[in-house]
């Protein structure tokens, strides 16, 4: 199975907090993952995104795919170019 970079939801009800993780594509959303790549806290003003850039680049070089939400966050942080068409 392929590896995907995606968000895993944490936090309480109506107070979301997300980890950005590299996970097997068949694993549950909040289940098993291979490595934590950072986090995203949408409840702060402004929203906080903290990434381990070297880990993200390593997984992308290994051919990891990205979910749409993870792609948007990585694009906003400047780790992924606009012309990424592989998914």
């Amino acid at each position: 199975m392929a590896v995907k970079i995606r968000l895993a939801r944490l936090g309480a009800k109506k107070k979301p907090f997300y980890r950005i993780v590299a996970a097997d594509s068949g694993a549950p959303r909040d289940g098993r993952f291979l490595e934590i790549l950072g986090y995203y806290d949408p409840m702060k003003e402004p929203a906080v995104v903290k990434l381990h850039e070297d880990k993200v680049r390593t997984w992308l070089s290994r051919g990891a795919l990205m979910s749409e939400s993870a792609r948007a966050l990585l694009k906003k942080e400047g780790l992924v170019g606009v012309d990424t068409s592989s998914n």
Side-chain angles (χ1 to χ4, degrees):
M1 296 206 145
V3 173
K4 289 198 95 170
I5 296 174
R6 63 185 185 196
L7 302 181
R9 189 183 193 281
L10 302 169
K13 183 167 70 171
K14 300 199 181 207
K15 293 181 181 161
F17 182 84
Y18 299 93
R19 279 186 185 155
I20 302 166
V21 298
D24 188 10
S25 63
R29 178 192 73 182
D30 300 334
R32 185 182 221 168
F33 56 86
L34 301 170
E35 188 170 20
I36 298 173
L37 306 178
Y39 65 85
Y40 168 55
D41 188 357
M43 298 303 287
K44 300 258 173 128
E45 191 57 47
V48 176
V49 178
K50 180 75 173 178
L51 293 169
H52 300 286
E53 293 183 22
D54 54 335
K55 291 181 181 180
V56 173
R57 291 186 198 283
T58 301
W59 281 106
L60 289 175
S61 70
R62 291 181 186 173
L65 305 174
M66 292 178 277
S67 68
E68 291 301 316
S69 53
R71 182 187 308 278
L73 289 173
L74 294 176
K75 192 161 126 180
K76 187 183 287 187
E77 294 297 308
L79 290 175
V80 175
V82 178
D83 60 346
T84 57
S85 58
S86 63
N87 189 12

